[in-house]
Amino acid sequence: MAEIRLRGLSKSFGSNSVVRNVDLDVKDGEFIVLLGSSGCGKSTVLRMIAGLEKVTDGEIWIGGELVNDEPPSSRNVGMVFQNYALYPHLTVAGNLGFGLAARRRGRGRRAAREDERRQIRETAELLEIDHVLTHRPKELSGGQRQRVALGRAIIRRPDVFLMDEPLSNLDANLRERMRLELAQLHRKLRITTIYVTHDQGEALTLADRIVVLHDGQVHQVGTADDVYDRPADTYVARFLGSPGMNLYTLPPARIGDDLVLADGALRLPAAALPPGAGDGRPLSIGIRPEHLALAADPPGGPVSQGPRPAGSGDFPAEAAGTSPPDGATTAGRTVLRCRVDILERLGSHLLVHGSLSTGQTVIARLDAQAAVRQGEQIVLTARTADTHFFDPDSGDRLVTASMPQLAGARA
Amino acid sequence: MSGTISRARPLSVARGRERSADGRVPGRRRWPARLRRMEESLVAYGMLAPAITVFTVFFFIPAIFLAYISFFHWGILSSATTFVGLKNFRILFQQPLFFHSLAVTAYYTVVMIPATVVLALGIALVLREAVTARRGGIWRSAVFLPHVTPVVATSVIWVWIFNPQFGLANFVLTSLHLPALGWLGSTTWALPAVMIDSLWHSLGLYVIIFLAGLANVPRELIEVAQLDGASRRRIFRRIVLPLLSPTTFFVVILSTVSSWQAFSQIYTMTGGPHGGAGGPAFSTTTDALLIYQTAFSYDHFSLAAAMSMVLFLIILLLTLIQKWISNRLVFYR
Ligand SMILES: Nc1ncnc2c1ncn2[C@@H]1O[C@H](COP(=O)(O)OP(=O)(O)OP(=O)(O)O)[C@@H](O)[C@H]1O
Ligand SMILES: [Mg+2]
């Protein structure tokens, strides 16, 4: 077991800079997920840690040792590839034992072999593949192949465990099951793990900490709550969540105590603003679709033009403070006025795609029973605590009094 | 070539069955299933016709005819054709030269196969490892080039290279303080000289085949093995070689057949049209050469045909043995 330290890690292929100046500290036994869209350099980072790719610039430390110039074999790193990369001509037992036999040196051969057989058996039992030990990879199911690949990486108890999208070749059900098993396996073995994925669901469930990578650069390092509740910048805000955060950059105008943007399409109490923000300067505002709710008492008269089902406006306004149910009040909240363009019914909930008077789109995730119709005007509100502010130029998060940014959440 | 033909037939049959099963190919409904199947077969055979014709005229008919005349007394100019039963074979097996030629051919083959595999694989590995992608094309072309030169023309050059007084071969040997050799004038070194020429000529093809095979070994497997702590040697022996075994088997079969049939380079290098081919003292008289001389120099066509039959049986037997061995050694993904 070991901690990993990356310092200014960079990689270029020719003039193409793929990984830029990545700093990261992974604690001993930690499960880190590298999350980013396709082509952002996740695999390259992993391959550099494994020693399969030369470092262009920067340092890699594993267990307190600078390993930049160490070959892969002496880094004691186990890796699972996206396509499993099982040796097709060896049996499952042969696949599991290959690394053991390769490292067998000196010692009594018979004793060593006996020892290897025991390790193979134990690992196979751990992963529940002991009944297919004599099979070749092509005789296995996808899930079994996945387990063999895992087993081959963990059998010699590496200091570091690297996984490059290990679940992406499995069907949805199996993926969820394997996700849980991976989490359990990690709890059992506590091997320092770096896990690459572009699936935020995997990242949020598995990770001790998530590293959001974009264009070869680290945008944020933090727990699932950090990156979700306190995105460090607009990229992270938009990338996480499905769908991602609604973001508006608008020139503000103050009316009384409220900050009003774009002729009242968006309005919020000025008190909620981060200090110094919105004083004549444009401001980026973000609200997650799931934090939006239908307003019960639309300010300035009835909102809806179309007929609405009886009783739909009578939802009791529940305590503000938790995520609001439909029918929340607008007082002291962020308010959005929009026209409903498309409704997407997704069983447990309803996705509303709307547009502001400025033409910008808004997506709200409402209760499946929400009384909304296509074409009508609606008013959506969110808690100011769920309203995020970003610098319109740099995209960086602006810290508000009500929601302080965690120290060190940003790399 | 026979592979293509035998494979094509089940294919067209299978497709015919598929269509008639769903029975709803638009615009074809008027056709009864049987007629439709016949039409499809006709199209298939029509497309195969040129290949079948060439194969029949130049391979199949001559082969049958060869088998036929091996049981007759037959001359290319004489009109008299008499059935002699196994007499040609009996004469053949009383000829020490025939067995000598078999031994020469076996010697040639036994050296050529491993030399071909080792050198071609070695060159392929070097080309893959040491040559950058941009220059790779030039090197591959350079290695492949000898294979497209005419054997007879380049063999003449090799005769000069092996010239005992002025040749490059002896110049290299003496520069290395090794004794000069008689080469084509020596009963010991004439066949090795031919082997060197043959290797030079044929390696390019096998290198390309091995390069293709190596390209099919997934890079991740080698990377995983590196992470597993395996040495380069172990990776080569335990991962690359097994995954390459179908390619190696293919190369072995190809070089076996071409060795047993080696003719042009031997004929040209050891005297050719000036007479004396196969010398000195029959040391380079391979099976193919003996067949040629028996037929065209001594006008014993029936005897040559009988020899060809024996050669055919030997190659068939060797291929069967290799196939049997390969079932245990070759790993097909
Ligand atoms: N060997 C290479 N030579 C040149 N460019 C490369 C090489 N390997 C990767 N790249 C480039 O580096 C960039 C990042 O690649 P990488 O494989 O790290 O992305 P990734 O984040 O793993 O993407 P994915 O999620 O699709 O696997 C890509 O633009 C890719 O084209
Ligand atoms: Mg990748």
Side-chain angles (χ1 to χ4, degrees), chain A residues 215-281:
Chain A
D215 219 0
Q217 281 174 308
V218 173
H219 277 237
Q220 187 169 6
V221 181
T223 62
D225 289 346
D226 288 339
V227 292
Y228 183 78
D229 293 336
R230 292 171 288 279
D233 56 27
T234 46
Y235 176 78
V236 179
R238 218 176 277 131
F239 186 68
L240 272 114
S242 58
M245 193 181 277
N246 297 299
L247 279 168
Y248 308 100
T249 299
L250 299 165
R254 219 179 248 261
I255 297 179
D257 284 341
D258 284 356
L259 188 74
V260 180
L261 302 124
D263 304 332
L266 200 165
R267 166 195 290 262
L268 69 149
L273 287 186
D279 296 341
R281 251 171 43 86

Side-chain angles (χ1 to χ4, degrees), chain B residues 164-187:
Chain B
Q165 273 107 55
F166 317 111
L168 183 65
N170 273 351
F171 173 75
V172 170
L173 286 179
T174 47
S175 309
L176 296 171
H177 302 288
L178 294 167
L181 300 172
W183 291 118
L184 294 168
S186 143
T187 51

Side-chain angles (χ1 to χ4, degrees), chain B residues 175-332:
Chain B
S175 309
L176 296 171
H177 302 288
L178 294 167
L181 300 172
W183 291 118
L184 294 168
S186 143
T187 51
T188 317
W189 293 105
L191 197 59
V194 173
M195 289 172 183
I196 291 171
D197 174 15
S198 297
L199 279 173
W200 175 82
H201 189 266
S202 63
L203 272 184
L205 175 68
Y206 300 124
V207 168
I208 298 294
I209 294 174
F210 270 123
L211 275 174
L214 284 172
N216 272 334
V217 176
R219 196 175 61 143
E220 297 96 67
L221 290 189
I222 293 169
E223 290 177 344
V224 166
Q226 282 176 349
L227 288 167
D228 263 346
S231 61
R232 282 173 70 93
R233 222 184 95 192
R234 192 177 156 81
I235 292 175
F236 182 71
R237 283 193 25 211
R238 302 292 302 274
I239 309 293
V240 176
L241 271 191
L243 294 181
L244 206 58
S245 57
T247 308
T248 313
F249 178 61
F250 182 57
V251 167
V252 166
I253 293 278
L254 275 189
S255 68
T256 307
V257 172
S258 77
S259 296
W260 276 95
Q261 296 176 342
F263 173 76
S264 312
Q265 62 272 46
I266 303 177
Y267 183 74
T268 316
M269 281 184 79
T270 61
H274 317 298
F282 299 108
S283 61
T284 57
T285 302
T286 55
D287 220 336
L289 202 67
L290 188 63
I291 291 171
Y292 174 83
Q293 287 174 334
T294 308
F296 296 102
S297 303
Y298 306 113
D299 203 20
H300 284 308
F301 275 91
S302 316
L303 199 59
M307 279 191 210
S308 301
M309 290 304 295
V310 175
L311 184 62
F312 165 73
L313 288 178
I314 290 175
I315 294 182
L316 181 69
L317 190 70
L318 281 180
T319 308
L320 288 179
I321 291 174
Q322 281 171 338
K323 181 113 188 67
W324 179 74
I325 294 175
S326 80
N327 283 344
R328 310 151 124 257
L329 291 183
V330 176
F331 169 75
Y332 290 101

Side-chain angles (χ1 to χ4, degrees), chain A residues 13 16 18 37-44 165 198:
Chain A
F13 291 106
N16 182 16
V18 170
S37 53
S38 184
C40 71
K42 307 178 297 284
S43 297
T44 307
E165 312 203 19
H198 58 247

